[in-house]
Amino acid sequence: MFSRVAVVKGERGLDPVYKALDLIEYQEALEPWNTVLVKVNLLTSDTYETGITTDPIVVEAILSRVMDLGKRAVVVETEGGTTSPDTAVVETGMMEVIDRLGAEYVNMRKLPEKVTLKVENPRAIDSFEVARITTESAIISAASMKTLHHTGITMGLKNMFGMLTTRRKFGYHPYGMNEVIHDICKTLPPTLTVIDGFYGKEGRGAWQGNPVKMDTIIASSDPVAADATGARVIGIDPK
């Protein structure tokens, strides 16, 4: 059995994202859900051309497609970086897009209803806490294309680490981040992955390194296939 992964090259804009989504038949994947969460990467207030945070134009295209289906669209993030996502969503220009389209933004750590998810046959962690809304909605992991010293790459799968509502996420690092990410994504898999490669970033840290203009969007309903393809695109063996 093969997974479909769209790889679209094009200058920064809405059309490459639309094309990537259309190639993976996103409507069928989202059909069972009334609410769609778009998990962005807002570690800092650095803007899209740094390659660190998710590009607002990518989010605009995703929100437009989701809302055209009549779904409730919510951009979500939690604390965990150097900047509060409540600040970063404004300073990166993403809030302007959300407001203009009539979508919503939620900091999941501030939601009162949380649930603890148990991990079956865990590699690193037995359970983790998330906002209840994540278990009642489709999730689109809208990730940046970056390298990272302790996981090799940080794309769609690593972006799901930000679903955890704990503020001190660094406490999970000693367990082995690859194993922690495995446990999270196995237990709470994203419905779709969209990797923002208009600008990528190479370097050791999540916010250290150099931006690279890639002009690439990757999308799939298979989160592992999406990241494996993203790794190949930047010359890294996904295994």
Side-chain angles (χ1 to χ4, degrees):
M1 182 178 177
F2 296 94
S3 296
R4 179 184 291 268
V5 181
V7 181
V8 176
K9 299 287 288 185
E11 290 286 332
R12 178 179 182 261
L14 298 172
D15 286 344
V17 188
Y18 289 151
K19 184 176 181 181
L21 289 170
D22 292 342
L23 284 169
I24 64 168
E25 300 176 341
Y26 68 96
Q27 302 98 322
E28 288 82 350
L30 299 179
E31 196 278 330
W33 307 96
N34 294 320
T35 299
V36 178
L37 309 182
V38 182
K39 168 60 176 72
V40 294
N41 191 319
L42 290 174
L43 281 172
T44 74
S45 291
D46 293 279
T47 49
Y48 70 87
E49 69 275 9
T50 65
I52 296 173
T53 52
T54 308
D55 192 328
I57 208 165
V58 173
V59 176
E60 178 173 351
I62 294 170
L63 291 175
S64 295
R65 281 289 196 254
V66 167
M67 296 175 77
D68 284 348
L69 296 175
K71 311 288 186 182
R72 176 191 177 198
V74 187
V75 173
V76 297
E77 181 60 296
T78 60
E79 275 94 359
T82 60
T83 306
S84 166
D86 298 343
T87 299
V89 73
V90 175
E91 295 184 348
T92 59
M94 198 172 295
M95 198 69 220
E96 185 278 328
V97 170
I98 295 167
D99 288 340
R100 173 160 47 83
L101 295 182
E104 302 171 51
Y105 161 74
V106 168
N107 181 339
M108 294 181 291
R109 185 169 177 267
K110 296 182 177 180
L111 292 177
E113 292 190 59
K114 309 287 197 310
V115 294
T116 299
L117 301 182
K118 301 292 184 181
V119 180
E120 292 187 15
N121 301 315
R123 291 186 180 180
I125 54 174
D126 296 325
S127 63
F128 56 92
E129 186 181 80
V130 295
R132 180 179 294 277
I133 192 175
T134 65
T135 65
E136 303 168 343
S137 311
I139 301 170
I140 299 178
S141 181
S144 304
M145 178 184 284
K146 302 193 289 277
T147 56
L148 191 63
H149 67 284
H150 57 284
T151 58
I153 64 170
T154 168
M155 297 190 191
L157 296 170
K158 173 65 167 60
N159 189 41
M160 292 297 291
F161 182 56
M163 300 299 289
L164 275 60
T165 52
T166 177
R167 174 67 179 89
R168 299 186 179 277
K169 294 183 178 63
F170 190 78
Y172 285 90
H173 287 220
Y175 293 100
M177 281 307 301
N178 287 322
E179 287 73 24
V180 171
I181 294 164
H182 167 274
D183 289 347
I184 293 169
C185 292
K186 172 186 174 182
T187 308
L188 188 70
T191 312
L192 297 174
T193 297
V194 179
I195 299 173
D196 164 24
F198 283 140
Y199 285 85
K201 189 200 68 63
E202 60 183 0
R204 284 179 51 80
W207 44 80
Q208 299 172 354
N210 302 310
V212 182
K213 192 171 187 289
M214 295 293 293
D215 292 329
T216 303
I217 297 293
I218 297 170
S220 183
S221 60
D222 182 333
V224 176
D227 272 26
T229 301
R232 293 187 188 100
V233 163
I234 63 174
I236 293 177
D237 182 350
K239 293 183 180 180

